[in-house]
Structure formats: structure tokens, C-alpha cells
Amino acid sequence: MRIAIPFWQGRVSPVFDVAGNLLLVDVSDGAEQARKSLPLTAAEPQARARALAELGADVLVCGAISWPLEMAVSAAGIEVIPQTCGEVEQVLAAFISGELSRGAFLMPGCCGRRR
């Protein structure tokens, strides 16, 4: 599984629509296998979703995301886990261990991950 996390200064980027950096992490059998950091230059929702798909992302863990971009990413076959905040390494560890949904990484002011 390949997890994509947009980041800024070591934290999950607050708004995916304008995020400039992306961390791709390959996870297998509950452990990280590989990672790479890439610039994210596409701005238009369809182009940004296509870029994620071309990178082989299975899951996008992100902060805020506009409705058109979320729909484009989902339509590309990528699971979106929005409204996530915190240190990238902690968020990644929580995702791998299955504890991301516990709410500790939910963006302030959000009542849940679904709109």
C-alpha cells in the first residue's frame, strides 16, 4: 500500500489544494518499506488527482481538501482520509497501527472526517 501525505514543516499540510510537498510511503505487513518526498506542482483538481494516481497512491491522508479535489482524488481510485493534522511521523505511525481514526489527529473544529 502506498500512502500519500502532503506536508509542510514536518506537519500534515493544512490545505491539500495548495500543498507543495508530498511524502509517499510504501507500507507492507504493518511496516514501512520505503519513502520518498516529492514536490507537488499540479494545481487544478483533475491534474492533482491524476498526479497522485500516477505516483501509485492508494490512500491520501490530508488536512482540509476542497470538495472538487476530494471527488477527483476519489474518482481516481484513491481513498481520502481528510481533516487530519499533526506531525507527519506521528500521523503515519497512527495510520500504520490503525489508530488514526481515534480522533487525536482530527483538525480542530471538525466534527468528523466526513462532511
Side-chain angles (χ1 to χ4, degrees), residues 66-85:
S66 67
W67 186 248
L69 183 50
E70 183 173 357
M71 296 308 298
V73 172
S74 294
I78 301 166
E79 177 186 359
V80 179
I81 302 175
Q83 308 305 329
T84 303
C85 67

Side-chain angles (χ1 to χ4, degrees), residues 16-17 42-51 66-70 72-73:
F16 179 60
D17 298 58
E44 189 268 327
Q46 295 297 332
R48 193 162 271 233
R50 191 170 38 259
S66 67
W67 186 248
L69 183 50
E70 183 173 357
V73 172

Side-chain angles (χ1 to χ4, degrees), residues 16-41:
F16 179 60
D17 298 58
V18 295
N21 298 298
L22 188 69
L23 178 66
L24 289 175
V25 181
D26 292 327
V27 174
S28 179
D29 298 323
E32 181 179 326
Q33 303 299 313
R35 72 168 52 198
K36 61 183 165 181
S37 177
L38 306 163
L40 194 55
T41 57

